[in-house]
Amino acid sequence: MDELALLPLHSTSITAVAFGPLSTILTASAAGDVLLRSASPSTPLAALATLRPPGGASIQTLDVLPPLDKLHAATTVGVWAFANAKQQVRLWVPRA
């Protein structure tokens, strides 16, 4: 197996990783940032989007869900779901 890339992604510890649709990967940090990156072998870990929720609580778990309804069906990155250290579960629909 070959390693595609090894890059520093966050300024603090990575606390969660999830694979998204269309060759994407999401990583979350102890600082509360969520990064969407390319997982394509041609552009490994290229930055695609960053989410910095208010409060900066450490992200504990992270997942990518399919679009919630027909209104959001056009999004290519699904719905980001995460739970943080403040005992909150948050859902985000990235804008296309």
Side-chain angles (χ1 to χ4, degrees):
M1 183 180 301
D2 294 327
E3 184 174 60
L4 293 178
L6 177 61
L7 300 171
L9 301 180
H10 295 271
S11 59
T12 60
S13 301
I14 294 175
T15 57
V17 175
F19 290 96
L22 303 176
S23 297
T24 56
I25 187 171
L26 283 93
T27 58
S29 76
D33 295 343
V34 179
L35 303 180
L36 176 68
R37 301 241 177 205
S38 169
S40 168
S42 62
T43 56
L45 302 179
L48 301 174
T50 301
L51 174 65
R52 290 189 177 89
S58 176
I59 304 296
Q60 305 298 310
T61 62
L62 175 67
D63 203 354
V64 180
L65 308 171
L68 297 175
D69 54 35
K70 289 182 182 181
L71 176 66
H72 298 105
T75 182
T76 59
V77 294
V79 178
W80 302 4
F82 57 90
N84 64 26
K86 292 184 178 179
Q87 298 178 327
Q88 298 171 327
V89 174
R90 303 186 82 152
L91 297 176
W92 292 83
V93 179
R95 296 174 195 238

